[in-house]
Amino acid sequence: RVSLLRLKMENDSVKLSKNLLRMKFMQRGLDAETKKQLEEDEKRIISDEHWYLDLPELRTKETLIIEEKSFVPCEDLKYGRMSFRGFNPEVEKLMAVMNPRDEEEKQEQQQQLSRMQMDVTDEEMAQRYESLVGTMKKKFAKKRERAAMEEDDVNQNVAGTKRVFLKPQD
Amino acid sequence: MFSSLKEKVGQVLLPGDEFLFEAENTISLTGHVKAEKVVCGPGLRRSGDRVLVCKSGVLRHKQPNMFWVDSQQRRYVPTKGESVIGIVTVKSGDVFKVDFGGSEQASLSYLAFEGATKRNRPNVQVGDLVFAQFLIANKDMEPELVCIDSSGRANGMGVLGGGGLLFRVSLGLVRRLLAPHSEVRSDLEKLFPCELVVGMNGRLWVRSSSIQQTLIIANLLQSCDTMTAPQRQELFRRVKQGAL
């Protein structure tokens, strides 16, 4: 229909308005030249409408002074809710959460406690696991490998005498 | 660079005192030294390259570069992020007006409570006490309180339940109560099982197992303001023995 319109337009030498031509459904039938012209027009309109301030660029100097209005970060003040001697267990839980420094101290205490209460030292543990290595290895090995390993063990234990299959005598 | 401030640490400053910071003209031999930043806390005000003192008190310093003026005052000036105890005075539509003892009433949105939605309004009545923190505290704008933190959790904020007692102390005592290794707090801890809510605006709320004990704690804390440490310890000991 558009091409029909165009034909008609050329014939009648009547021009469609710019706004009409800019509409989406009219774009298909337009030829390249008019399209370009329309685009240019549009660009000019946009740049005309674009305002800017004709000012020199403001350069802010880096300030070395920061203002802080609150006492809380200065004096490391704690959270304002507190409960003593288990009056309100919820608040006591909250105190532990909201006062992180408290928690650190507690953790340190706990670490110290755990150090004191340790029954098995790290060295003992390492020694024990050293002897366990073979057993653990066996646990994760496949059946065939396990058999081979056992053979090795046997070989180690009974050094020299190699076991061979003895054919049963009739 | 901040040596002029450091020299005055521990001394009394008066409003109007000023410190001038100029970029150092001397060329250091070690080459480019990264400029230090200084944090000036309450009582100090920045004005260009100067730092002005606007409260009288003792200059304090904390590592690395924090300075503030330690002063005694009773008038609370709202500060962003601080938590206070307020009294709900007006309930109008979608905001509550809260009196926190400052020059102006703060607004508190009904949506600024944990779990509150447009359908599920929090149960707040006029006269209720709320423990809330400042979201907006600006000298040019109306202060705004919220009862949730940035992740939407209450964390102990909100309406305070019944059975407690609200009273006022000086702002200095509040800071002494909240200090990391507070002696007042450890003394109080030895007395009775109790619960304490401390607002930075100088309001304290106490609850304990009986009215008598609550009143004793309230009176003790109010008198703590003007007592030295030995006096306070003596008094607390006498209370514990049941003399009062």
Side-chain angles (χ1 to χ4, degrees):
Chain A
R1 199 200 304 153
V2 176
S3 47
L4 266 175
L5 258 172
R6 273 187 56 77
L7 273 176
K8 206 177 174 189
M9 189 178 82
E10 272 164 20
N11 289 347
D12 294 0
S13 71
V14 176
K15 281 196 176 172
L16 289 169
S17 80
K18 265 186 202 166
N19 284 329
L20 187 57
L21 286 176
R22 214 176 286 146
M23 281 175 165
K24 201 130 202 184
F25 72 94
M26 296 297 285
Q27 303 275 314
R28 270 174 293 163
L30 291 176
D31 50 25
E33 210 172 297
T34 39
K35 232 180 204 173
K36 212 184 261 173
Q37 209 182 338
L38 275 173
E39 265 172 30
E40 269 173 24
D41 283 355
E42 209 158 331
K43 259 184 202 166
R44 209 180 55 224
I45 291 167
I46 288 170
S47 61
D48 281 348
E49 283 175 353
H50 189 78
W51 283 43
Y52 62 95
L53 284 174
D54 195 15
L55 286 174
E57 222 175 294
L58 280 171
R59 300 189 72 186
T60 48
K61 230 168 55 179
E62 197 193 7
T63 52
L64 295 170
I65 304 162
I66 304 160
E67 270 188 330
E68 171 61 58
K69 291 281 173 63
S70 176
F71 276 109
V72 178
C74 295
E75 299 187 349
D76 292 325
L77 297 183
K78 299 209 163 195
Y79 185 63
R81 289 202 73 160
M82 45 188 89
S83 155
F84 303 124
R85 298 217 196 163
F87 185 77
N88 192 341
E90 275 178 39
V91 174
E92 299 214 344
K93 242 184 266 169
L94 204 68
M95 279 165 75
V97 176
M98 299 298 280
N99 301 328
R101 190 163 290 180
D102 250 21
E103 209 154 71
E104 275 172 28
E105 281 169 18
K106 265 185 202 164
Q107 273 181 356
E108 267 175 32
Q109 277 180 357
Q110 273 181 352
Q111 274 180 1
Q112 279 179 351
L113 267 179
S114 62
R115 234 174 273 152
M116 274 154 62
Q117 286 173 345
M118 216 173 352
D119 294 331
V120 185
T121 63
D122 292 346
E123 275 178 35
E124 277 175 44
M125 187 124 134
Q127 275 175 3
R128 173 138 181 81
Y129 269 100
E130 210 171 43
S131 63
L132 271 177
V133 166
T135 346
M136 296 302 267
K137 196 175 169 190
K138 228 183 269 175
K139 195 178 173 186
F140 289 109
K142 280 175 192 160
K143 214 168 196 179
R144 195 174 292 169
E145 288 166 358
R146 206 181 296 172
M149 263 196 290
E150 263 165 24
E151 225 165 59
D152 281 356
D153 280 358
V154 168
N155 289 349
Q156 277 171 7
N157 291 346
V158 197
T161 54
K162 195 178 181 183
R163 287 191 184 181
V164 274
F165 180 73
L166 296 173
K167 204 176 178 186
Q169 290 172 344
D170 297 287
Chain B
M1 187 171 173
F2 308 114
S3 50
S4 56
L5 256 176
K6 262 181 189 157
E7 276 168 20
K8 292 269 186 180
V9 169
Q11 293 183 28
V12 174
L13 296 181
L14 293 172
D17 288 353
E18 66 174 59
F19 298 94
L20 200 62
F21 295 133
E22 281 168 359
E24 279 181 340
N25 293 323
T26 51
I27 301 158
S28 59
L29 293 170
T30 51
H32 181 70
V33 179
K34 206 184 168 197
E36 295 176 284
K37 288 202 171 179
V38 71
V39 180
C40 51
L44 298 174
R45 199 154 27 162
R46 183 179 71 87
S47 162
D49 279 345
R50 295 177 305 162
V51 165
L52 292 165
V53 180
C54 56
K55 270 186 207 171
S56 50
V58 182
L59 186 68
R60 303 272 182 220
H61 171 57
K62 192 179 95 176
Q63 289 298 333
N65 276 320
M66 202 175 236
F67 296 92
W68 72 95
V69 177
D70 190 7
S71 59
Q72 281 287 336
Q73 66 182 65
R74 290 178 74 85
R75 163 70 64 198
Y76 179 67
V77 180
T79 309
K80 191 181 172 185
E82 284 188 351
S83 39
V84 295
I85 301 177
I87 306 167
V88 178
T89 54
V90 181
K91 205 170 137 186
S92 63
D94 50 357
V95 287
F96 305 111
K97 285 273 177 283
V98 177
D99 165 57
F100 61 92
S103 58
E104 197 183 358
Q105 298 207 329
S107 66
L108 171 63
S109 166
Y110 75 96
L111 290 171
F113 288 84
E114 190 183 56
T117 52
K118 285 206 164 183
R119 289 182 123 203
N120 182 19
R121 282 175 172 250
N123 183 21
V124 182
Q125 306 299 329
V126 170
D128 276 356
L129 298 179
V130 286
F131 187 55
Q133 65 174 356
F134 279 105
L135 185 70
I136 296 171
N138 191 321
K139 62 181 176 186
D140 304 315
M141 283 161 73
E142 184 189 33
E144 188 181 341
L145 288 165
V146 284
C147 289
I148 44 173
D149 64 1
S150 50
S151 57
R153 308 242 308 216
N155 271 341
M157 285 181 286
V159 179
L160 298 177
L165 178 69
L166 181 81
F167 58 97
R168 281 209 53 174
V169 294
S170 78
L171 301 186
L173 181 66
V174 163
R175 271 163 35 214
R176 258 156 60 201
L177 266 170
L178 292 176
H181 301 288
S182 166
E183 285 178 7
V184 187
R185 201 176 57 221
S186 54
D187 285 348
L188 190 68
E189 211 164 339
K190 291 169 195 152
L191 281 180
F192 319 114
C194 63
E195 187 184 352
L196 191 64
V197 182
V198 186
M200 285 298 290
N201 56 345
R203 282 191 178 142
L204 299 184
W205 183 89
V206 186
R207 182 166 64 180
S208 70
S209 40
S210 72
I211 294 174
Q212 200 185 0
Q213 286 182 352
T214 308
L215 282 171
I216 290 173
I217 292 168
N219 284 330
L220 279 178
L221 283 173
Q222 272 179 316
S223 54
C224 272
D225 243 341
T226 51
M227 275 195 289
T228 59
Q231 280 175 331
R232 185 184 63 234
Q233 275 152 9
E234 168 69 23
L235 185 67
F236 274 63
R237 214 185 58 235
R238 271 169 57 206
V239 168
K240 204 182 175 191
Q241 285 163 354
L244 284 173

